Amino acid sequence: DIQMTQSPSSVSASVGDRVTITCRASRDISVWLAWYQQPPGKAPRLLIYSASSLETGVPSRFSGNGSGTDFTLTISSLQADDFATYYCQQAHSFPLTFGAGTKLE
Amino acid sequence: QLQLQESGPGLVKPSETLSLTCTVSGASISASSPYYWGCIRQPPGKGLEWIGSVYYSGSTHYNTSLKSRVTISVDTSKNQFSLSLRSVTASDTAVYYCARGAAASGLISWGPGALVTVSS
């Protein structure tokens, strides 16, 4: 199975800040990586797929980058709605695997 | 607009079978590749764990650590898919989610989730 390692596990930030979260795969997954946002008590929402493609309706302040084993999710200017937990997930092959999550607070 | 809704018992006794049904509306569950249907769970206060996925053809893929206890199947006549998890223990207590995914695109649409508690 492909292991996904996210860092940091939590990050403190303020409205207007720029935040970057990293995700590392245990082997080459090309660009087959997705990012999700999960507000407290709600279901996850797909933000980015194929490492850098923005899902329909997702604000442009979210961006993804990377290929191979190293990936990043950047929020350029934090808004109040962005305080949530973020997960990466490899979509390269089954079994699908998630990172442990990054709580933005 | 695709919608998914989980339905389940809420409470299951240890050693019994957890059964969860996912009802799909706004799209046909018979949609062909690249779409698949999946189940994911989240224990209280913890991260997401993919359980397994099924294509409308019936082809399945399962989490390595759960595959001896899991079956996911499709019922095209009801536009539903179902999760069966056998021999449950307290560690199977979680919010269970249904989702639709696409090859290489991740899990695109999610249901609201259903809490299932394993307790006697």
mmCIF file of all heavy atoms in Angstrom, chain A residues 46-72:
data_model
loop_
_atom_site.group_PDB
_atom_site.id
_atom_site.type_symbol
_atom_site.label_atom_id
_atom_site.label_comp_id
_atom_site.label_asym_id
_atom_site.label_seq_id
_atom_site.Cartn_x
_atom_site.Cartn_y
_atom_site.Cartn_z
ATOM 1 N N LEU A 46 -14.071 17.747 -1.955
ATOM 2 C CA LEU A 46 -12.915 17.724 -2.851
ATOM 3 C C LEU A 46 -12.550 19.150 -3.245
ATOM 4 O O LEU A 46 -13.389 19.914 -3.721
ATOM 5 C CB LEU A 46 -13.239 16.898 -4.094
ATOM 6 C CG LEU A 46 -12.149 16.810 -5.162
ATOM 7 C CD1 LEU A 46 -10.925 16.060 -4.642
ATOM 8 C CD2 LEU A 46 -12.697 16.143 -6.427
ATOM 9 N N LEU A 47 -11.280 19.505 -3.048
ATOM 10 C CA LEU A 47 -10.782 20.820 -3.438
ATOM 11 C C LEU A 47 -9.985 20.762 -4.741
ATOM 12 O O LEU A 47 -10.170 21.579 -5.632
ATOM 13 C CB LEU A 47 -9.858 21.392 -2.352
ATOM 14 C CG LEU A 47 -10.422 21.712 -0.982
ATOM 15 C CD1 LEU A 47 -9.297 22.166 -0.068
ATOM 16 C CD2 LEU A 47 -11.510 22.772 -1.073
ATOM 17 N N ILE A 48 -9.048 19.823 -4.783
ATOM 18 C CA ILE A 48 -8.083 19.752 -5.877
ATOM 19 C C ILE A 48 -7.896 18.291 -6.258
ATOM 20 O O ILE A 48 -7.831 17.415 -5.391
ATOM 21 C CB ILE A 48 -6.740 20.388 -5.450
ATOM 22 C CG1 ILE A 48 -6.895 21.908 -5.374
ATOM 23 C CG2 ILE A 48 -5.599 19.996 -6.387
ATOM 24 C CD1 ILE A 48 -5.721 22.625 -4.765
ATOM 25 N N TYR A 49 -7.822 18.019 -7.566
ATOM 26 C CA TYR A 49 -7.522 16.689 -8.065
ATOM 27 C C TYR A 49 -6.379 16.783 -9.075
ATOM 28 O O TYR A 49 -6.042 17.870 -9.550
ATOM 29 C CB TYR A 49 -8.769 16.037 -8.680
ATOM 30 C CG TYR A 49 -9.321 16.782 -9.868
ATOM 31 C CD1 TYR A 49 -8.964 16.426 -11.169
ATOM 32 C CD2 TYR A 49 -10.203 17.855 -9.707
ATOM 33 C CE1 TYR A 49 -9.457 17.108 -12.259
ATOM 34 C CE2 TYR A 49 -10.701 18.547 -10.788
ATOM 35 C CZ TYR A 49 -10.323 18.168 -12.071
ATOM 36 O OH TYR A 49 -10.822 18.847 -13.152
ATOM 37 N N SER A 50 -5.814 15.648 -9.371
ATOM 38 C CA SER A 50 -4.647 15.604 -10.274
ATOM 39 C C SER A 50 -3.583 16.606 -9.849
ATOM 40 O O SER A 50 -2.970 17.278 -10.690
ATOM 41 C CB SER A 50 -5.081 15.860 -11.730
ATOM 42 O OG SER A 50 -5.994 14.869 -12.134
ATOM 43 N N ALA A 51 -3.396 16.727 -8.550
ATOM 44 C CA ALA A 51 -2.350 17.534 -7.896
ATOM 45 C C ALA A 51 -2.565 19.044 -7.977
ATOM 46 O O ALA A 51 -2.241 19.766 -7.024
ATOM 47 C CB ALA A 51 -0.966 17.190 -8.442
ATOM 48 N N SER A 52 -3.118 19.531 -9.108
ATOM 49 C CA SER A 52 -3.186 20.986 -9.271
ATOM 50 C C SER A 52 -4.472 21.486 -9.923
ATOM 51 O O SER A 52 -4.610 22.698 -10.142
ATOM 52 C CB SER A 52 -1.988 21.470 -10.109
ATOM 53 O OG SER A 52 -2.006 20.869 -11.382
ATOM 54 N N SER A 53 -5.402 20.605 -10.233
ATOM 55 C CA SER A 53 -6.647 21.024 -10.885
ATOM 56 C C SER A 53 -7.691 21.370 -9.837
ATOM 57 O O SER A 53 -7.996 20.556 -8.965
ATOM 58 C CB SER A 53 -7.170 19.909 -11.794
ATOM 59 O OG SER A 53 -6.263 19.656 -12.845
ATOM 60 N N LEU A 54 -8.238 22.577 -9.948
ATOM 61 C CA LEU A 54 -9.220 23.064 -8.985
ATOM 62 C C LEU A 54 -10.590 22.477 -9.311
ATOM 63 O O LEU A 54 -11.068 22.572 -10.455
ATOM 64 C CB LEU A 54 -9.273 24.586 -9.064
ATOM 65 C CG LEU A 54 -9.557 25.379 -7.794
ATOM 66 C CD1 LEU A 54 -8.530 25.090 -6.719
ATOM 67 C CD2 LEU A 54 -9.600 26.867 -8.095
ATOM 68 N N GLU A 55 -11.237 21.865 -8.330
ATOM 69 C CA GLU A 55 -12.590 21.356 -8.517
ATOM 70 C C GLU A 55 -13.537 22.540 -8.757
ATOM 71 O O GLU A 55 -13.330 23.646 -8.245
ATOM 72 C CB GLU A 55 -13.028 20.554 -7.288
ATOM 73 C CG GLU A 55 -14.449 20.046 -7.295
ATOM 74 C CD GLU A 55 -14.725 18.961 -8.335
ATOM 75 O OE1 GLU A 55 -13.883 18.704 -9.195
ATOM 76 O OE2 GLU A 55 -15.834 18.378 -8.276
ATOM 77 N N THR A 56 -14.583 22.305 -9.534
ATOM 78 C CA THR A 56 -15.566 23.343 -9.837
ATOM 79 C C THR A 56 -16.124 23.960 -8.562
ATOM 80 O O THR A 56 -16.503 23.252 -7.621
ATOM 81 C CB THR A 56 -16.725 22.741 -10.652
ATOM 82 O OG1 THR A 56 -16.196 22.135 -11.839
ATOM 83 C CG2 THR A 56 -17.727 23.809 -11.037
ATOM 84 N N GLY A 57 -16.133 25.289 -8.526
ATOM 85 C CA GLY A 57 -16.703 25.999 -7.391
ATOM 86 C C GLY A 57 -15.730 26.299 -6.264
ATOM 87 O O GLY A 57 -16.082 27.007 -5.319
ATOM 88 N N VAL A 58 -14.517 25.780 -6.346
ATOM 89 C CA VAL A 58 -13.528 26.012 -5.289
ATOM 90 C C VAL A 58 -12.833 27.361 -5.543
ATOM 91 O O VAL A 58 -12.392 27.620 -6.669
ATOM 92 C CB VAL A 58 -12.493 24.876 -5.242
ATOM 93 C CG1 VAL A 58 -11.371 25.188 -4.251
ATOM 94 C CG2 VAL A 58 -13.189 23.566 -4.877
ATOM 95 N N PRO A 59 -12.732 28.202 -4.530
ATOM 96 C CA PRO A 59 -12.118 29.530 -4.731
ATOM 97 C C PRO A 59 -10.673 29.443 -5.212
ATOM 98 O O PRO A 59 -9.943 28.520 -4.855
ATOM 99 C CB PRO A 59 -12.188 30.164 -3.343
ATOM 100 C CG PRO A 59 -13.276 29.448 -2.633
ATOM 101 C CD PRO A 59 -13.256 28.047 -3.166
ATOM 102 N N SER A 60 -10.275 30.432 -5.986
ATOM 103 C CA SER A 60 -8.942 30.419 -6.593
ATOM 104 C C SER A 60 -7.822 30.671 -5.585
ATOM 105 O O SER A 60 -6.643 30.558 -5.944
ATOM 106 C CB SER A 60 -8.882 31.463 -7.715
ATOM 107 O OG SER A 60 -9.168 32.744 -7.197
ATOM 108 N N ARG A 61 -8.141 31.015 -4.341
ATOM 109 C CA ARG A 61 -7.079 31.162 -3.335
ATOM 110 C C ARG A 61 -6.466 29.805 -2.955
ATOM 111 O O ARG A 61 -5.412 29.760 -2.335
ATOM 112 C CB ARG A 61 -7.599 31.873 -2.086
ATOM 113 C CG ARG A 61 -8.677 31.147 -1.325
ATOM 114 C CD ARG A 61 -9.127 31.982 -0.118
ATOM 115 N NE ARG A 61 -10.186 31.307 0.645
ATOM 116 C CZ ARG A 61 -11.466 31.438 0.383
ATOM 117 N NH1 ARG A 61 -11.866 32.208 -0.630
ATOM 118 N NH2 ARG A 61 -12.362 30.809 1.124
ATOM 119 N N PHE A 62 -7.145 28.717 -3.328
ATOM 120 C CA PHE A 62 -6.597 27.375 -3.121
ATOM 121 C C PHE A 62 -5.786 26.967 -4.351
ATOM 122 O O PHE A 62 -6.240 27.140 -5.483
ATOM 123 C CB PHE A 62 -7.712 26.347 -2.904
ATOM 124 C CG PHE A 62 -8.450 26.511 -1.613
ATOM 125 C CD1 PHE A 62 -9.599 27.289 -1.547
ATOM 126 C CD2 PHE A 62 -8.002 25.889 -0.450
ATOM 127 C CE1 PHE A 62 -10.290 27.451 -0.346
ATOM 128 C CE2 PHE A 62 -8.686 26.038 0.747
ATOM 129 C CZ PHE A 62 -9.823 26.826 0.795
ATOM 130 N N SER A 63 -4.604 26.421 -4.124
ATOM 131 C CA SER A 63 -3.810 25.920 -5.237
ATOM 132 C C SER A 63 -3.021 24.698 -4.787
ATOM 133 O O SER A 63 -2.657 24.550 -3.614
ATOM 134 C CB SER A 63 -2.869 26.997 -5.782
ATOM 135 O OG SER A 63 -1.933 27.389 -4.795
ATOM 136 N N GLY A 64 -2.768 23.811 -5.730
ATOM 137 C CA GLY A 64 -1.999 22.605 -5.455
ATOM 138 C C GLY A 64 -0.833 22.499 -6.407
ATOM 139 O O GLY A 64 -0.890 22.995 -7.531
ATOM 140 N N ASN A 65 0.212 21.839 -5.932
ATOM 141 C CA ASN A 65 1.411 21.704 -6.753
ATOM 142 C C ASN A 65 2.096 20.381 -6.419
ATOM 143 O O ASN A 65 1.844 19.786 -5.355
ATOM 144 C CB ASN A 65 2.368 22.859 -6.459
ATOM 145 C CG ASN A 65 3.261 23.171 -7.642
ATOM 146 O OD1 ASN A 65 3.334 22.394 -8.592
ATOM 147 N ND2 ASN A 65 3.942 24.305 -7.580
ATOM 148 N N GLY A 66 2.951 19.959 -7.316
ATOM 149 C CA GLY A 66 3.774 18.789 -7.045
ATOM 150 C C GLY A 66 3.568 17.666 -8.032
ATOM 151 O O GLY A 66 2.614 17.652 -8.814
ATOM 152 N N SER A 67 4.485 16.711 -7.975
ATOM 153 C CA SER A 67 4.411 15.490 -8.770
ATOM 154 C C SER A 67 5.414 14.497 -8.201
ATOM 155 O O SER A 67 6.344 14.879 -7.481
ATOM 156 C CB SER A 67 4.698 15.748 -10.247
ATOM 157 O OG SER A 67 6.028 16.164 -10.415
ATOM 158 N N GLY A 68 5.206 13.240 -8.531
ATOM 159 C CA GLY A 68 6.114 12.217 -8.011
ATOM 160 C C GLY A 68 5.755 11.821 -6.592
ATOM 161 O O GLY A 68 4.782 11.088 -6.384
ATOM 162 N N THR A 69 6.506 12.311 -5.612
ATOM 163 C CA THR A 69 6.248 11.964 -4.216
ATOM 164 C C THR A 69 5.944 13.163 -3.325
ATOM 165 O O THR A 69 5.478 12.971 -2.200
ATOM 166 C CB THR A 69 7.439 11.205 -3.591
ATOM 167 O OG1 THR A 69 8.596 12.053 -3.644
ATOM 168 C CG2 THR A 69 7.725 9.899 -4.325
ATOM 169 N N ASP A 70 6.186 14.372 -3.788
ATOM 170 C CA ASP A 70 6.056 15.567 -2.934
ATOM 171 C C ASP A 70 5.037 16.551 -3.491
ATOM 172 O O ASP A 70 5.126 16.962 -4.653
ATOM 173 C CB ASP A 70 7.408 16.251 -2.763
ATOM 174 C CG ASP A 70 8.393 15.396 -1.992
ATOM 175 O OD1 ASP A 70 7.982 14.804 -0.972
ATOM 176 O OD2 ASP A 70 9.558 15.301 -2.408
ATOM 177 N N PHE A 71 4.102 16.935 -2.615
ATOM 178 C CA PHE A 71 2.985 17.765 -3.022
ATOM 179 C C PHE A 71 2.711 18.846 -1.974
ATOM 180 O O PHE A 71 3.031 18.672 -0.799
ATOM 181 C CB PHE A 71 1.728 16.901 -3.182
ATOM 182 C CG PHE A 71 1.904 15.797 -4.181
ATOM 183 C CD1 PHE A 71 2.426 14.570 -3.787
ATOM 184 C CD2 PHE A 71 1.556 15.979 -5.510
ATOM 185 C CE1 PHE A 71 2.613 13.542 -4.701
ATOM 186 C CE2 PHE A 71 1.736 14.966 -6.436
ATOM 187 C CZ PHE A 71 2.267 13.745 -6.038
ATOM 188 N N THR A 72 2.101 19.949 -2.429
ATOM 189 C CA THR A 72 1.713 21.009 -1.511
ATOM 190 C C THR A 72 0.321 21.516 -1.828
ATOM 191 O O THR A 72 -0.117 21.499 -2.981
ATOM 192 C CB THR A 72 2.683 22.204 -1.577
ATOM 193 O OG1 THR A 72 2.726 22.696 -2.926
ATOM 194 C CG2 THR A 72 4.084 21.819 -1.131
#
